[in-house]
Amino acid sequence: MLITTDPAAFRVALPQGGRLLGLDVGTKTIGTALCDAEWHFASPALLIRRTKFTADKAALAGLIAAQAVKGLVIGLPLNLDGSDSPRTQSTRAFARNCADLGPILLWDERWSTQAVERQMIAEDLSRAKRAERVDKLAASYILQGAIDALAMG
């Protein structure tokens, strides 16, 4: 299956469009977000608490089947200078292990968590509520950035 950082290549792999699943893959949780089939709006979805990879992948596969997802957008945690970090390598490995779930677009997520945190602080959410929501909202932010780019191309 396709794993790419190129939105144009990802778009070619999905000529009919379809719902996409955005992922913010952390060490303890996987934040998820879904978009509509026309790639207009991303919304936060589930927060998956990580256990073993097989269980994590099964949870993702269940969500993909239930929501008729056609492709995945996975946040790629690059260093500020755009180079790979140790987390980047683990995210690429996660993507390779999920390649049978559908085409995958790896999307630069360098500023997603910070942007979401700033927004939640502006909304005066408590630290506990922010911690509970940040990964799902970051997944939504990542997915929205990707679908905006896909719509332009």
Side-chain angles (χ1 to χ4, degrees):
M1 272 295 190
L2 175 75
I3 300 175
T4 185
T5 58
D6 180 9
F10 185 73
R11 179 178 264 297
V12 168
L14 295 168
Q16 306 301 317
R19 293 194 84 180
L20 300 178
L21 177 64
L23 302 178
D24 181 32
V25 181
T27 55
K28 296 179 182 173
T29 61
I30 302 170
T32 68
L34 291 161
C35 74
D36 58 298
E38 292 78 34
W39 301 348
H40 295 297
F41 304 103
S43 302
L46 301 175
L47 181 67
I48 298 170
R49 303 235 177 257
R50 297 207 58 188
T51 56
K52 293 185 174 173
F53 177 77
T54 52
D56 299 345
K57 185 175 178 182
L60 290 173
L63 182 58
I64 288 166
Q67 296 294 330
V69 168
K70 302 299 182 197
L72 287 80
V73 176
I74 301 177
L76 190 63
L78 300 170
N79 287 320
L80 290 180
D81 66 1
S83 64
D84 282 2
S85 69
R87 282 204 50 230
T88 307
Q89 294 306 319
S90 67
T91 300
R92 288 184 194 279
F94 183 91
R96 284 190 301 274
N97 290 329
C98 290
D100 59 331
L101 297 177
I104 296 174
L105 175 63
L106 297 173
W107 191 255
D108 182 354
E109 70 157 43
R110 278 179 276 187
W111 302 105
S112 61
T113 301
Q114 293 86 346
V116 168
E117 281 279 353
R118 279 194 302 274
Q119 181 62 37
M120 288 190 295
I121 289 168
E123 293 172 7
D124 203 27
L125 288 177
S126 70
R127 187 179 305 262
K129 286 195 188 283
R130 290 195 313 263
E132 175 185 305
R133 298 179 185 174
V134 69
D135 293 323
K136 294 189 299 187
L137 291 172
S140 181
Y141 186 90
I142 291 162
L143 182 55
Q144 188 66 53
I147 62 177
D148 288 349
L150 289 165
M152 294 170 60

